[in-house]
Amino acid sequence: MSLTVREIAGTVAVRRAGFRFWFWRAAPAPPVRALKSGGGGTDPDPVSPAGPVTPDAARPSRKDALARVTAVIRHGTPLPAPEWERRHRWVLLLVLAHIPALAVLGLLREAADPVRIAVAAAVPALGAALIALPFPRRAVRAWLAVASLIACSGATVYLTGGADVAHLHFFLMIPVIAVYEQWAPFAVAILAVLAAHGLVAPSGAGDAVLRTALFTVGCLGSLMNWGLRETSRAREAVLEAELRHGSRHDGLTGLPNREWLLEESSSRAGLVSGVEALTAVLVIDVEQLTTVNNTLGFDLGDQLLIQVADRLAAAVGPGERAVRLPGDNFAVVLTGDRAARAEEIAADLSHRLTDERISLSGVDLAAEISIGIASDDGTPGEAGIGLRDRLGRLLRCADVALGAGKRDGSAISLYDPREDQHTIERLALLTDLREALFTDQLKLAFQPKVSLADGAVPGVEALLRWTHPVRGAVPPMDVVPAAEATNLVTPLTHRVLTIALLQAAAWRDAGAPLRVSVNVPPRCLIEDGFVDSVSRALESTGTPPGLLCLELTETALMAHPERTIDVVQSLRDRGVELSLDDFGTGFSSLNYLRRLPVTELKIDKTFVRGLFQHSQDAILVESTIALAHRLGMVVVAEGVEDERTASVLTALGCDLAQGFLYARPLPAEEVLDWMKAGGRGTRERLG
């Protein structure tokens, strides 16, 4: 007999009011925020399969109430199986304890009768044997236990020759019988005691009154203990149900959460192991949440999420559920034909969520929604994995698609494995990189910057090289982007900076003061204390600031322009050279460009290589060189690979060139040898 949260709550409420027939009552459950009903969007009470209870449904009919009363009288309140077994074992031990107890009691009597002692001891022995029988039904075992306890009382009276004090044993067994919390055995035990003692018999009125009082106290005590235990279990059940509901639902919107989705929604959506069914997951993001939180406060941000949740719950299809994910995201699982039309359904959801403005404390907002979509075709390879794993993978992929869509400015985006950099291999690589920071696995290679006018080498660019003990040489394009997406980018940048400055100091001491260029990721540039950390590195290595050039990308400059200008100016004031890297690939504002104290501008190799393929590229390169010179900058051309390109750049007035025409990136110990050999003289050997 299972109880819903509402019935359990009713039990507790009635118990507090006093001893009544609790099974006549049903009270509302603890309040849970209700959602607007829509296409399967509301979530019934997880403990009650019947769903929400209406006021009329809370009042059972007389027939239902009578059936409940009959069930309770016949069976009592079923205890949890472990608790019932524990109590049954104690009763068995109590019956077994009667064997030596009756033997000792018989021997202590003045006229010890061995036969009487043996008969009395045989009663609990037989009872214990019956109690220990493994009957499948608990009711049978309970009846045998009750009969054994009553028989032990009779054996005690028999052994003592009917002594009045021995009759107290009957009364003591009443609370023991009550531990089973079953009405029928309890009532039969009471009737057996009444029949055995004739409590209301006319003879011995004084003894009858005393026995009746003791018997009444014993029965009431048992009932009160029984009732308190029921109340305690009911309260525990309510608490457990509330905790389970809270762990599987979002407290703000009332929607099921990710844990609920992984546990239950998979089976409802047809994600059954071995079943080949098309499945799609939509992850929906509320774009303005951060803006609303920062502008109007977190309370109104919560209201925004609640209104979006209400709309989404009403918009999903029959049998589908809207689910709240951490942060400002929601999810919907689609299957079958609707999964095949995931893009179409996502567009419809986006329209229905943004069709009407959202009012927040008098401020009307147009909701902005982004949706990421991930799907699979339910092939055996997909269906063979665990349901949680399959759905969890789809959620992850949809979230990756959502992030890619935000970067591209797309409101709806499909998952593309080629854009997914969040792989197990990448995670393992980052773990190994963290360890490599404190070993000698990280090295620097240096690519010279050559003067187009006279072939002089004023500086080199430091490039990271990582030789993994197992993987071997790890491509830089696998290392740097992965580090930039994590907190590793800061220690990695400082490690590269320190190695580069130590090498610059060594070259200066050798009579070759080369300026070393180090790339600075956007994230490091805006961190507090970056300027001071550069100053400390210069001081600790004994390197003059003029021998360090920090290369900054347009992305870094435009992400936080005002903050960047302050940092760059502080670095320049301390004597550090600055270079604008990959110029032309971003969207630099000329207004910011004229305010930046940059001393060098590098033309991206895509424009350099297109000098002879696109006339527009030649015009852009020429214009960039002229602009940079007017702003007092030195111009460096990247990706120079042939003499023809070098000649054209020289004619256009470019200052420096960098590329395979002169040298591939060189180990530190080969740079000076390369310079002594005349630069290009070792190009063939190195290439």
Side-chain angles (χ1 to χ4, degrees):
M1 181 174 62
S2 61
L3 301 176
T4 67
V5 172
R6 293 164 177 79
E7 293 170 328
I8 294 171
T11 301
V12 176
V14 174
R15 286 295 186 190
R16 289 175 178 171
F19 262 130
R20 300 176 185 175
F21 287 109
W22 60 269
F23 38 81
W24 286 91
R25 296 290 303 273
V32 177
R33 181 181 175 275
L35 295 171
K36 297 178 181 178
S37 71
T42 56
D43 182 46
D45 185 344
V47 183
S48 175
V53 176
T54 62
D56 291 337
R59 302 186 183 93
S61 64
R62 290 186 178 180
K63 182 178 180 181
D64 293 337
L66 182 60
R68 183 173 297 177
V69 171
T70 303
V72 170
I73 291 178
R74 287 180 58 194
H75 305 296
T77 303
L79 294 169
E83 176 65 16
W84 192 94
E85 293 292 345
R86 186 180 69 85
R87 297 186 184 189
H88 189 66
R89 284 194 297 270
W90 278 108
V91 171
L92 175 60
L93 293 175
L94 179 62
V95 173
L96 287 172
H98 277 78
I99 300 175
L102 290 175
V104 172
L105 179 61
L107 293 173
L108 292 178
R109 293 180 57 81
E110 294 181 359
D113 185 351
V115 176
R116 184 179 289 270
I117 295 175
V119 172
V123 172
L126 177 61
L130 293 174
I131 294 175
L133 292 175
F135 288 103
R137 295 188 60 184
R138 294 196 317 192
V140 175
R141 297 166 67 191
W143 277 107
L144 290 174
V146 170
S148 298
L149 292 171
I150 295 298
C152 286
S153 297
T156 303
V157 173
Y158 166 75
L159 184 61
T160 59
D164 290 342
V165 69
H167 286 271
L168 291 174
H169 193 282
F170 280 95
F171 304 143
L172 295 176
M173 290 299 102
I174 293 299
V176 177
I177 294 171
V179 301
Y180 286 101
E181 297 188 13
Q182 291 185 257
W183 287 105
F186 184 72
V188 169
I190 293 175
L191 293 176
V193 174
L194 290 173
H197 295 81
L199 297 181
V200 293
S203 62
D207 291 340
V209 171
L210 177 60
R211 293 178 181 179
T212 301
L214 293 174
F215 180 71
T216 303
V217 170
C219 291
L220 289 178
S222 299
L223 290 173
M224 291 180 65
N225 179 64
W226 189 341
L228 291 174
R229 288 180 179 274
E230 287 185 17
T231 302
S232 176
R233 288 199 301 273
R235 289 174 178 170
E236 291 176 1
V238 170
L239 179 59
E240 181 181 354
E242 289 177 347
L243 290 175
R244 178 171 174 78
H245 184 278
S247 68
R248 293 157 52 88
H249 290 73
D250 175 44
L252 177 65
T253 63
L255 290 176
N257 60 17
R258 181 177 179 274
E259 186 64 25
W260 179 93
L261 178 64
L262 294 177
E263 286 186 5
E264 296 187 10
S265 185
S266 57
S267 60
R268 297 183 185 182
L271 298 181
V272 180
S273 181
V275 176
E276 300 181 12
L278 180 63
T279 307
V281 170
L282 311 183
V283 172
I284 303 164
D285 178 74
V286 183
E287 297 286 351
Q288 310 107 306
L289 181 62
T290 300
T291 302
V292 170
N293 285 338
N294 294 339
T295 306
L296 303 177
F298 289 97
D299 289 341
L300 292 183
D302 290 345
Q303 290 300 316
L304 172 63
L305 290 175
I306 290 173
Q307 293 194 40
V308 171
D310 288 344
R311 292 185 182 185
L312 183 60
V316 296
E320 297 169 353
R321 294 290 174 84
V323 176
R324 173 77 188 279
L325 299 179
D328 53 356
N329 290 349
F330 299 87
V332 177
V333 177
L334 307 175
T335 56
D337 177 64
R338 286 179 62 80
R341 299 185 295 111
E343 284 190 84
E344 175 187 340
I345 292 172
D348 179 65
L349 282 177
S350 178
H351 173 72
R352 296 176 69 174
L353 292 175
T354 60
D355 186 39
E356 297 181 7
R357 289 180 173 268
I358 293 178
S359 179
L360 299 174
S361 187
V363 179
D364 291 337
L365 298 177
E368 296 178 10
I369 301 297
S370 296
I371 302 178
I373 306 173
S375 62
D376 62 37
D377 57 2
T379 58
E382 297 291 351
I385 66 174
L387 298 179
R388 288 180 63 94
D389 293 339
R390 181 181 174 191
L391 196 57
R393 183 184 60 78
L394 286 175
L395 282 170
R396 186 194 71 80
C397 293
D399 191 62
V400 170
L402 182 67
K406 287 185 176 183
R407 291 191 297 270
D408 299 339
S410 303
I412 299 175
S413 54
L414 288 171
Y415 173 74
D416 186 350
R418 295 170 298 181
E419 297 181 356
D420 188 358
Q421 299 180 351
H422 304 277
T423 62
I424 297 177
E425 292 77 11
R426 188 187 189 196
L427 183 61
L429 188 71
L430 289 173
T431 302
D432 293 341
L433 178 59
R434 188 181 300 275
E435 297 178 359
L437 288 173
F438 305 100
T439 65
D440 59 353
Q441 298 177 27
L442 299 180
K443 305 288 186 182
L444 294 183
F446 300 89
Q447 188 170 36
K449 297 180 181 180
V450 180
S451 171
L452 289 170
D454 56 12
V457 182
V460 294
E461 179 181 359
L463 301 170
L464 179 64
R465 295 294 183 264
W466 178 19
T467 302
H468 191 279
V470 177
R471 303 169 184 258
V474 182
M477 292 307 298
D478 291 345
V479 180
V480 177
E484 288 182 347
T486 68
N487 293 329
L488 283 178
V489 67
T490 298
L492 179 61
T493 301
H494 288 304
R495 176 71 169 163
V496 170
L497 181 62
T498 301
I499 297 175
L501 289 177
L502 287 171
Q503 187 59 56
W507 283 331
R508 181 202 59 182
D509 295 341
L514 294 174
R515 180 182 299 119
V516 179
S517 298
V518 177
N519 291 278
V520 178
R523 184 170 175 177
C524 293
L525 190 63
I526 61 173
E527 284 184 348
D528 294 336
F530 176 71
V531 176
D532 292 336
S533 67
V534 172
S535 298
R536 287 194 298 269
L538 288 168
E539 183 179 353
S540 64
T541 58
T543 306
L547 293 183
L548 173 63
C549 178
L550 297 180
E551 295 192 2
L552 318 172
T553 63
E554 290 185 72
T555 303
L557 297 175
M558 296 307 298
H560 302 85
E562 296 300 331
R563 167 69 174 161
T564 302
I565 290 174
D566 293 339
V567 172
V568 169
Q569 187 61 59
S570 297
L571 290 168
R572 192 70 191 97
D573 291 342
R574 302 187 187 200
V576 177
E577 301 291 331
L578 300 167
S579 175
L580 183 57
D581 195 14
D582 299 334
F583 184 79
T585 59
F587 302 94
S588 296
S589 168
L590 293 179
N591 177 50
Y592 288 116
L593 186 60
R594 70 178 179 82
R595 295 169 56 191
L596 288 170
V598 176
T599 56
E600 180 182 275
L601 185 145
K602 301 183 74 173
I603 301 175
D604 188 69
K605 58 186 177 183
T606 56
F607 295 99
V608 173
R609 293 174 180 174
L611 279 174
F612 305 106
Q613 299 175 5
H614 308 287
S615 58
Q616 295 89 343
D617 286 355
I619 295 173
L620 289 173
V621 170
E622 182 180 10
S623 302
T624 300
I625 293 173
L627 174 64
H629 285 165
R630 285 184 172 274
L631 293 174
M633 301 178 189
V634 174
V635 180
V636 181
E638 295 182 301
V640 180
E641 298 182 356
D642 55 68
E643 295 283 0
R644 183 185 179 193
T645 302
S647 299
V648 171
L649 289 170
T650 302
L652 294 176
C654 185
D655 303 298
L656 303 174
Q658 181 180 347
F660 290 175
L661 173 64
Y662 306 100
R664 294 180 182 273
L666 303 170
E669 59 271 14
E670 294 185 14
V671 172
L672 295 185
D673 292 339
W674 176 86
M675 293 175 63
K676 292 176 182 178
R680 296 191 216 179
T682 57
R683 177 172 58 86
E684 290 78 9
R685 176 176 62 85
L686 296 167

